[in-house]
Amino acid sequence: MDQIDPEVLPLFGGLSLEQVYEKGREIQQKALEKEFNYRCVEGFYFLRIGLRKNPLFEHIKLQKALQDCCILEVGCAFGIDGRDLVFSQGVKPENYLGIDISSTFIDLGFELFEDKNTMKNCFAVKSVGDEDFSAFVKSKLKRVDIVVATLVLHVIPKECKEFVDQVYQLLEPYQGMFIGETMGIDLPDEEPFYFERHNSPRVCHTSVSLTKLFQSVGFKRVETTFLSRWRRGGEGITATCKEDEEKVKNRARLAFIAFA
């Protein structure tokens, strides 16, 4: 039961922790049957608050009144953070957009939270690799003050720089912020590490390489911090050389915030 963040309970209309756990297990099984090999499903992360627990989240509260912000979340999965923003943090539903490449995740989110009637316009299926990604976001939100990407960058190694550039272009007119987490390696190296996990391409950034990436597209200030409690082993990993393979076995979640 420790896999569930108790702070999610208000999103379930009075259900007990045990009831939420059982409901979550049913949704998890449905997702796994669709062969989604994602940590958020395998590790039951979709019932944990992510954004508000990011150690750099306080920077947002110091910079902007969250209730007045327009927020884009990329890789929203089942949508726990979006719902937390709306129902716990006072963000207006029309000012939040969560996108994911999986319609199954979005549909299962509606089933999990039983809120399709009230939240149906808050979520959409879209890939960061689509040519009309930025135009699509602009058609849904009147402005973009904050972009959230939790555990996204490391799974899009080919599109990563272009995506970060698009995020900057969306945020720059409003002096916005880009916040999230990615899998990283706590080393001083200036270049990221590329590898495969279960035959899917991945990239792990160091604090230095991630900062360089953000600054290369225009972000003015970048802060990062490692979350060592999320260290993972090396199961399913194939790296370009033995040295890098040993490095990525010690990868950890790397929290970041970048200011446009």
Side-chain angles (χ1 to χ4, degrees):
M1 212 71 72
D2 58 353
Q3 295 169 310
I4 299 178
D5 186 340
E7 291 188 42
V8 308
L9 289 182
L11 305 178
F12 287 92
L15 294 184
S16 67
L17 195 64
E18 292 78 11
Q19 289 171 319
V20 172
Y21 179 83
E22 290 303 319
K23 194 171 186 181
R25 283 299 182 196
E26 292 177 9
I27 296 297
Q28 181 192 48
Q29 187 58 42
K30 290 182 179 181
L32 291 174
E33 288 172 358
K34 300 290 185 179
E35 300 183 359
F36 282 108
N37 183 29
Y38 292 114
R39 284 286 187 188
C40 67
V41 177
E42 295 173 341
F44 222 58
Y45 301 155
F46 59 90
L47 283 178
R48 302 178 193 173
I49 301 296
L51 177 60
R52 278 198 295 118
K53 300 300 179 68
N54 186 310
L56 302 173
F57 180 69
E58 289 300 313
H59 286 295
I60 291 179
K61 299 175 72 175
L62 291 173
Q63 293 282 331
K64 294 179 180 287
L66 194 64
Q67 296 85 350
D68 298 327
C69 288
C70 288
I71 301 172
L72 168 67
E73 183 182 9
V74 178
C76 64
F78 298 158
I80 185 78
D81 280 328
R83 289 170 169 92
D84 180 59
L85 286 170
V86 171
F87 294 109
S88 301
Q89 301 298 302
V91 174
K92 298 176 183 177
E94 61 269 25
N95 288 345
Y96 168 82
L97 175 65
I99 63 173
D100 201 279
I101 60 171
S102 168
S103 61
T104 299
F105 278 172
I106 292 174
D107 290 340
L108 287 176
F110 290 136
E111 184 176 345
L112 177 63
F113 295 100
E114 298 182 9
D115 60 1
K116 187 171 185 177
N117 288 338
T118 57
M119 295 290 289
K120 62 182 178 181
N121 294 326
C122 294
F123 299 97
V125 178
K126 198 65 182 168
S127 169
V128 299
D130 292 344
E131 290 184 3
D132 66 337
F133 173 77
S134 294
F136 178 82
V137 171
K138 291 177 181 177
S139 73
K140 298 289 185 178
L141 291 173
K142 59 187 177 182
R143 54 186 285 153
V144 182
D145 299 292
I146 300 167
V147 175
V148 181
T150 301
L151 299 181
V152 171
L153 298 183
H154 65 280
V155 300
I156 55 168
K158 294 180 180 179
E159 303 93 344
C160 193
K161 183 171 183 178
E162 182 179 352
F163 168 60
V164 172
D165 182 48
Q166 290 186 82
V167 168
Y168 177 76
Q169 298 303 325
L170 289 168
L171 291 171
E172 193 274 334
Y174 312 105
Q175 297 182 311
M177 292 166 284
F178 183 26
I179 186 170
E181 296 177 18
T182 188
M183 295 307 299
I185 302 176
D186 194 1
L187 293 172
D189 301 56
E190 295 189 3
E191 299 300 326
F193 299 93
Y194 294 90
F195 62 101
E196 290 188 352
R197 179 178 180 268
H198 299 307
N199 298 317
S200 294
R202 296 285 190 268
V203 60
C204 269
H205 277 279
T206 68
S207 177
V208 176
S209 68
L210 190 65
T211 299
K212 285 175 58 180
L213 171 62
F214 289 154
Q215 291 178 338
S216 73
V217 302
F219 282 103
K220 299 173 179 62
R221 181 163 67 93
V222 181
E223 293 191 26
T224 65
T225 186
F226 276 95
L227 310 177
S228 58
R229 67 181 184 276
W230 292 106
R231 289 194 181 278
R232 293 291 172 189
E235 68 283 355
I237 288 176
T238 303
T240 55
C241 65
K242 283 293 183 181
E243 181 183 2
D244 285 357
E245 186 171 342
E246 289 303 311
K247 291 175 180 177
V248 297
K249 285 181 180 179
N250 294 312
R251 62 200 188 282
R253 287 172 80 151
L254 175 60
F256 63 82
I257 189 168
F259 300 82

